[in-house]
Structures are given as structure tokens and as C-alpha cells.
Amino acid sequence: MANAAGASGAQHADVAVVGAGFAGLYLLHRLRKAGLSAIGLESGNDVGGTWYWNRYPGARCDIQTSDYSYTWDPELEKAWTWSEKYATQPEILRYLGFVADRYDLRRDIRFGTTVSAATWDDGTQRWLLTTSSGAPVSCRYYVMASGCLSAPKPPEIEGFKDFKGEVYFTGRWPHEPVDFTGKRVAVIGTGSSAIQSIPLIAQQAAHLTVFQRTPNFALPAHNGPSPADRVEMLQKDVPAFREQARWSMAGVPLPPATDFSWQLSDAERRERFEKAWAAGDLVVMLTQLWADQAVDVDGNTLVADLLREKVRAVVKDPETAEALTPRDHPFGSKRPCLDTGYYATYNRPNVTLVNLRREPIKSITASGIRTDSRTVDVDAIVFATGFDAMTGAITAVHPISGRGGKSIAEAWEHGPQTYLGLTVAGFPNLFMITGPGSPSVLSNMMVSIEQHVDWITDRLVAMREAGFTTIEATDTAQDGWQRHNADCSMITLHRLANTWYTGANVPGKPQGVMPYTGGVGPYRGICNEVVERGMLGFRLTGPNGAEQCNDGEIVRLQPDVRLVLNLLASMNLPPLESFGAQGARDFLAQFNATRPAGRPVGEVVDGTLPGTDGPLPYRLYRPSTPGPHPIVVYFHGGGWVLGDEQSDDPLCRDLCRRTGMAFVSVGYRHAPEHRFPTAAEDSYAALCWIAGHAAELGGRPGPVSVAGWSAGGNMAAVTCQMARDRGGPQIAGQLLICPVTDCTFDRPSYVDNATGYFLTRSLMYWFWDLYCSPADRTDPRVSPLRGKLAGLPPAMVVTCEFDPLRDEGVAYAEAMAAEGVPVEQLKARGHFHSSFAMVDVVITGVGGRVQMARALRRFAGLPVEETPTRQDNTAQRPIQAAAAGAAD
Ligand code: N01
């Protein structure tokens, strides 16, 4: 409980909490239980937050209520039963009132009170809050539990004030009933609020005109009682259900789909889609169809097309149906909606749709709305125009001044900057629940709210026990978190749409994907890791000079690389070198069999070609476009010991599709059965044969390019030197991906990454020992960095930050450039040795592979800007330049 007003006139509390919605109520409860005094400040006259204000007709949650409930008290879970699959706003408000009563929370809340200013006082190390009513508040910690969608966007339409009729905002709906009977009504907007309210307003109004700027994807809710299977799953084991939700991607206990769209037939895809449609569940439609639906434009288009069919099937007027069909954004990149009879409403004779893309609103007049081509007179206008989302309730509601008097609005001038979406550097002891940079609106809010409340309360208790009184994020940690967020946002398609997720709905707002797109479970793991690593990225201080600062970045790996490495670590595998050569090959074959199959290309043909000492296998990949195509001779990775055409198959397919060039992947012989220089000589022999038989392979005669990954990169580099020295064949260019170029093991990248990232130093020792005796190691046929470099073909050298081979790759690129060879370098930040070979697993590798494809096309004299397939999910221009790729 907060102290009464002190001598200064301020009311003192350990913690002040803005907002008495789901987040504020739970936080007040937890703080009280932890023995911290707290005061809640709420501008509404009762609890409820979002559900207090959004009382428009049809307002409901659109996450199933079985998931949209508090989970922190098993007794509370037993004490409340929801009446519907998607509860109405009045029922949710009743639930929050029930919770407030049950835990006696209202006594700590000042209702009808807004904070007009919040100022950090460095002298007292406290926040001072000025409020619209009651005494000012002096608190040690200030927590914004003010919601992500609580600051309505002002109507920026000219003439708004001239309108003489009734005006309503969905986000500030009157508490008394509104009756539209006999009235001509306009609804502006077609987001979730509009899509829920339009069918009900249409039933009452004499005429309803909907003004739509952007059509949204909407699915039928099929509301009713909670589905039996869901109830059964929950009741069977409530704690397990909740725990699964906490570690899931979206905060709902559904494992992600694992089949890729191209592995399914049309009929199988349709069957999955219809099942999801019948389920009436956004999360099911967003996550359960196929693995690439949310990360790849092609995979997404398959869902979007099926959804578009549904609009046409319901809406009778073709022009209206077309106007209602979303075409400007991938499904899920803009928040989709759940509806009840939305599309059918447009078949009513009293409903008209005005397509603002064709005839934008010019102004609002005294009697209605004027567009470019007509005036619509109405008695009432409903603004369903949305919110200044995520940041509005923090920057636009009252000035928050941190250290040195700097306001948070200034600090976020170019977009929100946070550490973990929980704290902001320069604003000590300030926390946000579900702030920008946390999963928040891309998750089941209940799960994210509870995680933040628990994390904050646990931290405050731990600080009290350790004698600290301030906590502040460091700049290093915050900058790292911004980078990690940008990296995550490159995986999903959110950056390809202009939405409130990106700030695009508010004129002048900085643009960028604001929520954390890396998933609820991974995010929770990161927050836990921050604590386990001694509050990494936070400075803690206390009385008498107590200070602790463990500075650093919590995630330096690309998000998907982190997941892969965590998965590998959890498997607790013995080192690859402990299997022996054949054992390692068997293991790898088994491992590869579990990978997603590569994508289809025009044709794949296996054959043999004459090597130095008998036939060698090859696999030819032809694009689906008419040939002849320029040829790339590809060498697989595997440390001269492992690997084959199969192991690098997904990469070859990917590059074949991206380049529109034919790839011939060569099966050179392996050590220890065939030691140095067999692999190099086999590779050179294969190169000669392929170049000499280009036409036979369906290729374009003339210079070929070479490419390879890891030891294959070594083969590609070595064969270029051999071709130069042995009179051919002519090579157009070399793509070296994480190549071995030298035989020393003491460069910094070998030291820094000796044990950590799958390819270890000891594994490299093993590969070298099996392939090459120490006496041979400086031979340029295995250490091309030791060879003559002048006169080599143009090169692209790709290196990864967390790879022992990084520095020798860079050294080779620099040495070639010094000898006048045109060299392009791609230094992939946050990637590990296998990043680019793990196609469709390490999706952040896409940008790098696009760059590689461009280099190969340039070598072959093909136009580089042409994209042969649409599968490149970076092909559309990202809205956020700052998030421009994982590759620096
Ligand atoms: O707001 P919105 P909302 N002229 O921003 C249009 C959650 N929610 O209140 O897309 C003309 O989605 C705007 O057009 P455009 C949910 O997360 C949940 O509906 O910017 N039109 C858009 O059509 C949701 O996503 C539930 O081109 C203008 C609409 O107004 C979020 O809240 C229920 C305009 C605004 O749509 C926000 O939803 C409701 C202008 N000047 C909401 N300005 C649940 O079921 C804006 N628009 C839990």
C-alpha cells in the first residue's frame, strides 16, 4: 500500500503503475504480494483498460478466451468460466471487475486520474509524477502498463470539426447505449474494430456507408461455446497447456507447422486451409498451414490467394468484392481480423462501400463526407481509424523526462529504442509492460503481459535483496537489442506492409517494425538469460556507492542461427570427430534426411563424368527457364572428408533458382581414403570436363563460374588457380562461401570461435589431419592463400562472423584484391559457418544468398537486377532501411 502524502505533499510509493487493465491489475497484485507499496493511476473510472474504453458494438477478443485469461492463480482459473469461444467486451470487463474484487485491488488505484508529467529526479533517485487529481506521486519505480492500443489516433481528415451530426470513436465509445435506428451512418476504417462493428451497425442503420482505404484479411470467428477439443486439451492438464503457451511462438499452445508449401500438393494445401477456415481461429490460420507461410512471399501468396477466393464467394457485387479483396500486403503482415458476417453485410441493400483508393476523402462537411467524386450525407460518423499504437501511450500522453531532463519523445525521435521492450537507456527505474521491442501485439497479450509483470517484479525483489535501488539499461545493450529486433524483422513479412505495427498509420511517425518478431518463447528465453548472465546490459546502483554493471549484448547471433545452435546444444551430441570418418558421414546423412527438402527447380539429373582415376558422380540442376544457361560448377562442403551432392542440394537448388543458371555439383573423392591432392585434382578434372561438355549438359558454351562452400570453397579457389596455371578452362568468376584458404589456426576467428559454433577448431584439426600431411599443407592446392593470386577471375568471398574460417576468408579476399583481382566481400554479421548452407532453416541467410546470386549473374554477364523467381522474400523493398539485411 502506498504511503499517505508526505511533508512535500507528494504521495510516496515504491512503484507507480499507469493503467488498470490486464497488465496493471496483475502488476498491482504481484507487487503487493512482494511487499512493495504501489499506487495505480487510471484515467478511466473503473478497471478494464482497453476493455473499459472499447465498448463499440460487436467488440470481442479475437484470441480464444481459453487462452485470453490470467493464468497466475489456479484458483482463479477454476473460479471463472467463459461463456463463449470469443468473449464479448462486457463479459471481459466483468471478468476484470471480478479479479479486482477478488484480490481487493481497487483500493490501490486512483481512478479518473491522468498523469500530466513524469520526471526523474537524479538527487532523490525517484520519479515525481504530476497528476490531474490528487497529490503528486513520488515513486522509486515507474511502470507504464498503459497498453499498446490505447491512444486513439486523431482524425487527420480536413473539416472534421465542421460536422454537425453525431461523432463516435470505436476506441472511446460512450457508456450509454447508442441507437442508430433510422439513421444514415458512416464508418471510416476497415480494421478489426470496424469489421466487428459494421455488421451490427448495418442491422440498425437506415443506411450504412463504409469508407475503406485498405481492405483487410478477415476470417469468420465461428463463435459459440469454446470448442470441445480446446476445452479438453486445457482441462486435461492446465499447467502443461499454459507452459506450452509460454514457450510457443505466439503465446498459444500450437506447435509450428513443419511442412513447406512446396512439399504439399494443391489438394493437400486446400485441405489444410479449409480446416483452418472452419476452425475460426486467427492463430491457426496464421501458423498452422505450412512452415513458409509467414516468412516467404511465395508461401504466403498461396494462403492469401485462398483467402481472396473466400471474399469473392460471399460478396455478390463483383466490384465491391474486388474492392474488399486485400492485394497490397502479405497475409499476416497487417493484423488480420476475425469477423461475424462481415462480408455478407455488403450484400445488404442498405450498405455501400466507398473505395477510398479510387476516390479519397477530400473533407468532412457539416452534413457528411465529401470524396473526390461524391458527397455522402450522414447523421453519424463512426471513426474506426485506429491508434497511435505501441508508442502513443508512452510518448504522446504525458511528457516523461529521464536523466538530464531528456524526454522519451526526444529519445524516440527516430523510432522507439528499448532494451528488451521493457526499459529505455537514460530512463532509470522506468519499465514498460509489452513495450515496443517485445512480442506484445504479435502474441497472445495475456502471456506477454504475465511474463513482463513477473520479470519486473522478480527483478525489483532481487534488487531489494541485493541492496540496489536503481536499474538502467546500457547503451550497448539497447543498441544490440535494436539490431537484434531488426534482424528478427527480416525473417517475417511484417516489414513489407504499411501498418500500425510499423507506425505507417500515423502521419509523420518514424517507420519500423515495432513489436519483437522473434517469438514469445525465444523472447522469454532471452529475458531469462539476461538474469542468468548477471543482469547483462543493466547498470544497477544503490546507496553508499553500490554498483554493478555487466555490460554487453544479449544476442549477437542472427535469431534463427541462435535457434539452430540452441537446438544442437540441447541434443548434446558428441563431437563429430569422435565418430570416425565413416561414422561422421553416416551421422551427417541421417541429419540431412531430417532437413526440409530443397525447392523444385526445372530439372535435376544425376550422372557421372570422367575423373583423374575413374568416374566421378555429378548432379546437374537446370532452371525451369528455357536454356541454354550459363554453368556454375559447384563443390560441396565437408572438410574434404564428408558431404556429397545430397548434402549441399538445398543450396544448389536455391542458387539455381535465384540465378537462373545451371549448377553442376561435383562428387570429388574424400579423405582419409583419398588424401591430398585427390580432392583438388578430381575437382579440376571435373571442371575441365564440364567446361568442355557445356552444350551436352544443356549449358551455354564459354567460360563457366565456380562456387563452393567450406572445403568446397577451397576447391573453387584452388581450381581457379589450377585453371590459370594449366591453360584453362576459362573461368568467369568464383563464389567462395566460408572457404578454407590457409593452414594456420591462430587467427583471431579461430581463437574466438574455437569451441562454440558447430565448426570447432578441433573439428578443423581433424579434417586437416585426415586430408593432408603437415608437409603438404602450404601447397597452394590446399592453401590457396599461399599461391600466386594475380590473374585470377573476379571473386565474391563470403565470410561469417562466428566462424573459425572467417579471417582466412577475409585474408584471401584482401590478398586477391591487392593483386588486382576484382573482389566483392560479404561479411555476414551474426552468422555461423553453416548459415548459408542451411537454406530454409536460416532464413536470415536469404539476403546474403541474393547477393551471391547477383554476383554469379554478373560473372556470367547476365543482368543483375532481374529476379528469376519470386521466392526471394527480400525482393520487395523493405520499408525499414535500418533493417537492411543481416549481411553488412
Ligand atoms: O484500428 P486499425 P482498429 N482515412 O488501425 C483506417 C486490436 N483490436 O481499431 O489500413 C481513411 O486496425 C485504416 O486504413 P489503413 C487489433 O490488434 C483487437 O480497427 O491505414 N481511413 C484502417 O482501415 C487491431 O489491429 C480487437 O489504410 C483511415 C482503420 O482506419 C488493433 O486493435 C478488436 C484513416 C484503422 O484500423 C487496431 O484496430 C479491435 C483516414 N484518415 C481492435 N485513418 C479484438 O478483437 C485510418 N484509417 C481483440
Side-chain angles (χ1 to χ4, degrees), residues 170-171 257 425 793:
T170 48

Side-chain angles (χ1 to χ4, degrees), residues 427-447:
F427 294 80
N429 290 5
L430 173 74
F431 293 97
M432 297 162 297
I433 310 271
T434 61
S438 74
S440 58
V441 291
L442 290 179
S443 68
N444 171 6
M445 287 299 278
M446 281 316 106
V447 169

Side-chain angles (χ1 to χ4, degrees), residues 50-51 54 56 58-63 68 92 149 153-157 170-171 188-196 211-216 282 328 334-338 356-357 361 383-387 441 498-501 504-505:
T50 290
W51 300 103
N54 287 269
Y56 59 83
R60 291 174 183 276
C61 64
D62 57 10
I63 292 279
Y68 197 76
I92 300 173
L149 295 154
K153 189 171 78 93
E156 63 274 326
I157 303 172
T170 48
I188 304 181
T190 48
S192 297
S193 305
I195 283 176
Q196 286 185 332
F211 292 81
Q212 172 193 271
R213 193 163 62 185
T214 314
N216 243 341
L282 280 177
D328 74 337
K334 187 178 178 109
R335 174 67 147 71
C337 311
L338 264 196
L356 300 180
R357 295 283 177 212
I361 295 179
F383 287 89
T385 42
F387 300 88
V441 291
N498 294 321
T499 65
W500 61 255
Y501 291 139
N505 66 326

Side-chain angles (χ1 to χ4, degrees), residues 218-490:
L219 337 170
H222 301 310
N223 201 20
S226 281
D229 57 341
R230 192 61 157 243
V231 174
E232 195 189 325
M233 185 178 156
L234 175 66
Q235 295 309 338
K236 207 168 96 196
D237 190 343
V238 176
F241 184 98
R242 299 298 185 210
E243 197 59 8
Q244 203 189 333
R246 290 181 189 120
W247 290 98
S248 67
M249 289 305 274
V252 174
L254 294 171
T258 50
D259 295 324
F260 284 79
S261 59
W262 64 88
Q263 295 173 293
L264 302 166
S265 66
D266 286 352
E268 286 168 328
R269 282 197 297 266
R270 183 169 288 275
E271 192 189 328
R272 286 182 181 210
F273 170 78
E274 293 295 348
K275 206 170 145 209
W277 183 263
D281 186 314
L282 280 177
V283 185
V284 169
M285 188 62 88
L286 284 163
T287 63
Q288 300 297 294
L289 300 186
W290 33 89
D292 49 324
Q293 68 177 95
V295 295
D296 178 81
V297 171
D298 279 356
N300 190 278
T301 302
L302 292 164
V303 195
D305 284 345
L306 292 167
L307 287 165
R308 292 184 191 114
E309 272 183 26
K310 294 286 187 187
V311 183
R312 289 195 292 275
V314 177
V315 181
K316 292 188 181 136
D317 173 49
E319 197 182 326
T320 307
E322 180 51 32
L324 286 167
T325 303
R327 297 199 184 278
D328 74 337
H329 62 276
F331 170 63
S333 61
K334 187 178 178 109
R335 174 67 147 71
C337 311
L338 264 196
D339 77 273
T340 300
Y342 175 64
Y343 290 114
T345 298
Y346 291 92
N347 295 333
R348 294 175 66 106
N350 70 330
V351 176
T352 309
L353 180 72
V354 176
N355 180 352
L356 300 180
R357 295 283 177 212
R358 288 243 174 110
E359 43 173 319
I361 295 179
K362 285 193 100 152
S363 64
I364 292 178
T365 66
S367 61
I369 297 173
R370 186 184 303 144
T371 71
D372 265 1
S373 49
R374 64 180 125 167
T375 299
V376 181
D377 284 340
V378 291
D379 304 305
I381 302 179
V382 175
F383 287 89
T385 42
F387 300 88
D388 181 355
M390 306 217 59
T391 55
I394 297 166
T395 58
V397 176
H398 63 268
I400 300 178
S401 308
R403 216 181 267 293
K406 188 169 182 175
S407 78
I408 210 159
E410 284 172 80
W412 289 5
E413 191 188 353
H414 303 294
Q417 311 277 313
T418 72
Y419 183 35
L420 305 172
L422 274 160
T423 59
V424 185
F427 294 80
N429 290 5
L430 173 74
F431 293 97
M432 297 162 297
I433 310 271
T434 61
S438 74
S440 58
V441 291
L442 290 179
S443 68
N444 171 6
M445 287 299 278
M446 281 316 106
V447 169
S448 291
I449 283 172
E450 290 189 359
Q451 187 247 339
H452 270 188
V453 168
D454 290 338
W455 196 90
I456 292 169
T457 314
D458 292 346
R459 302 292 49 81
L460 298 190
V461 169
M463 284 171 64
R464 182 179 61 191
E465 283 165 7
F468 293 118
T469 48
T470 72
I471 173 169
E472 184 180 348
T474 68
D475 289 329
T476 311
Q478 182 164 288
D479 291 349
W481 189 247
Q482 294 312 115
R483 259 192 304 279
H484 175 58
N485 268 269
D487 290 340
C488 290
S489 77
M490 292 306 288

